[in-house]
């Protein structure tokens, strides 16, 4: 359980309420679900990786089974059909689950080609939706906002460090709307940078320093990251495939490690 504020409008809105069980959508619910889920998985011999606790792994002579947990969703992959069936039976005996082939997970499209034994991963839909949302916000006089424009901080882009000094940030007086827009766009850049567009990581890290004191210029640079992803979505798909390969490569023989 946990403590929370009373809903607004009540006579006792100045008091706190103790919630004895988790509520879907409440901030603590994701953590409590993760703890419950991992407790069940550990009992079945699946252990979280130290480098990425949302991935649980089981290895034996039959092969490897990897479980990915994302809030109230999850994905299971295995090199062994018996291990996959075993997990489905075990997990299904503890929770009510809807099983099915994965075609989309965490904003990533998953395309199977069973004939050639390949899986293709991409974020084309997420990128297209993000670009459609932010393209109208691009300033007409900003050439870097064009699709596929130069990334901030590159030789053909602006030098972000000059705009992110403490003095420069202190001079910004953003409106609540601009702060909201910037944080929303920054969140989408982070979603791409940490999944299919690692080329955005350095810029995303810098732009994060202005999360509470953005300027219109910094918002335009944030949008240019979305434009860059829209212009090179296939490269992002290749990067994600490489990341998945490294995940399997660096999984140690002991899932406890």
């Amino acid at each position: 359980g946990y403590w929370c504020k009373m809903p607004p409008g009540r006579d006792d809105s100045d008091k706190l309420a103790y919630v004895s069980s988790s509520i879907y959508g409440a901030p603590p619910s994701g953590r409590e679900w993760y703890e419950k889920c991992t407790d069940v998985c550990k009992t079945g011999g699946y252990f979280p990786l130290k480098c990425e606790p949302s991935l649980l792994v089981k290895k034996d002579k039959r092969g490897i089974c990897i479980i990915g947990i994302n809030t109230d969703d999850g994905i299971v992959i295995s090199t062994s059909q018996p291990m996959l069936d075993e997990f489905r039976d075990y997990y299904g005996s503890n929770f009510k689950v809807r099983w099915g082939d994965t075609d989309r997970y965490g904003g990533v499209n998953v395309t199977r080609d069973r004939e050639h034994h390949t899986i293709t991963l991409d974020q084309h839909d997420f990128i297209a939706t993000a670009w459609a949302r932010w393209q109208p916000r691009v300033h007409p006089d900003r050439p870097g906002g064009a699709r596929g424009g130069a990334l901030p901080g590159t030789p053909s882009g602006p030098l972000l460090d000059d705009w992110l000094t403490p003095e420069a940030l202190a001079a910004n007086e953003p409106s609540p709307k601009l702060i909201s827009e910037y944080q929303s766009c920054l969140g989408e850049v982070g979603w791409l940078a940490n999944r299919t567009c690692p080329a955005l990581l350095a810029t995303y890290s810098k732009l994060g320093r202005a999360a509470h004191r953005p300027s219109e210029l910094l918002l335009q640079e944030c949008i240019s990251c979305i434009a860059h992803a829209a212009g090179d979505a296939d490269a992002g798909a290749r990067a994600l495939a490489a990341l998945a390969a490294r995940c399997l490569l660096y999984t140690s023989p002991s899932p406890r490690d």
Side-chain angles (χ1 to χ4, degrees), residues 195-240:
R195 282 165 175 78
T196 62
C197 301
L200 300 178
L201 274 171
T203 304
Y204 167 68
S205 178
K206 290 184 177 183
L207 289 170
R209 286 150 52 187
H212 301 288
R213 300 286 294 184
S215 65
E216 179 63 32
L217 284 174
L218 287 170
L219 174 60
Q220 293 299 315
E221 298 315 312
C222 209
I223 295 174
S224 76
C225 291
I226 304 290
H228 179 84
D232 198 16
D234 289 332
R238 292 193 297 273
L240 183 61

Side-chain angles (χ1 to χ4, degrees), residues 86 188 244:
E86 176 185 87
E188 294 184 345

Side-chain angles (χ1 to χ4, degrees), residues 31-103:
R31 181 183 68 251
E32 294 194 5
W33 165 244
Y34 170 80
E35 293 174 351
K36 174 66 174 177
C37 181
T38 52
D39 284 346
V40 169
C41 289
K42 288 177 182 177
T43 303
Y46 302 85
F47 294 91
L49 297 176
K50 289 182 178 180
C51 62
E52 182 50 75
S54 64
L55 289 179
L56 296 97
V57 180
K58 182 176 183 178
K59 274 188 173 183
D60 59 28
K61 61 182 180 181
R62 297 172 297 174
I64 181 174
C65 186
I66 302 176
I67 308 155
I69 302 174
N70 180 22
T71 314
D72 62 341
D73 203 354
I75 187 171
V76 184
I77 60 174
S78 179
T79 58
S80 165
Q81 186 63 45
M83 292 186 75
L84 186 61
D85 294 338
E86 176 185 87
F87 175 77
R88 290 177 62 171
D89 292 341
Y90 171 72
Y91 199 75
S93 67
N94 288 274
F95 302 106
K96 186 177 180 179
V97 184
R98 291 179 296 178
W99 300 101
D101 283 349
T102 303
D103 57 6

Side-chain angles (χ1 to χ4, degrees), residues 125-137 147 188 226 230:
D125 292 345
F126 180 85
I127 292 171
T129 300
W131 179 234
R133 176 164 48 252
W134 291 109
Q135 187 177 20
R137 191 67 173 77
R147 184 175 175 129
E188 294 184 345
I226 304 290

Side-chain angles (χ1 to χ4, degrees), residues 232-257:
D232 198 16
D234 289 332
R238 292 193 297 273
L240 183 61
L243 177 62
R246 288 199 301 274
C247 176
L248 291 174
L249 179 64
Y250 292 122
T251 302
S252 63
S254 172
R256 299 174 189 271
D257 295 333

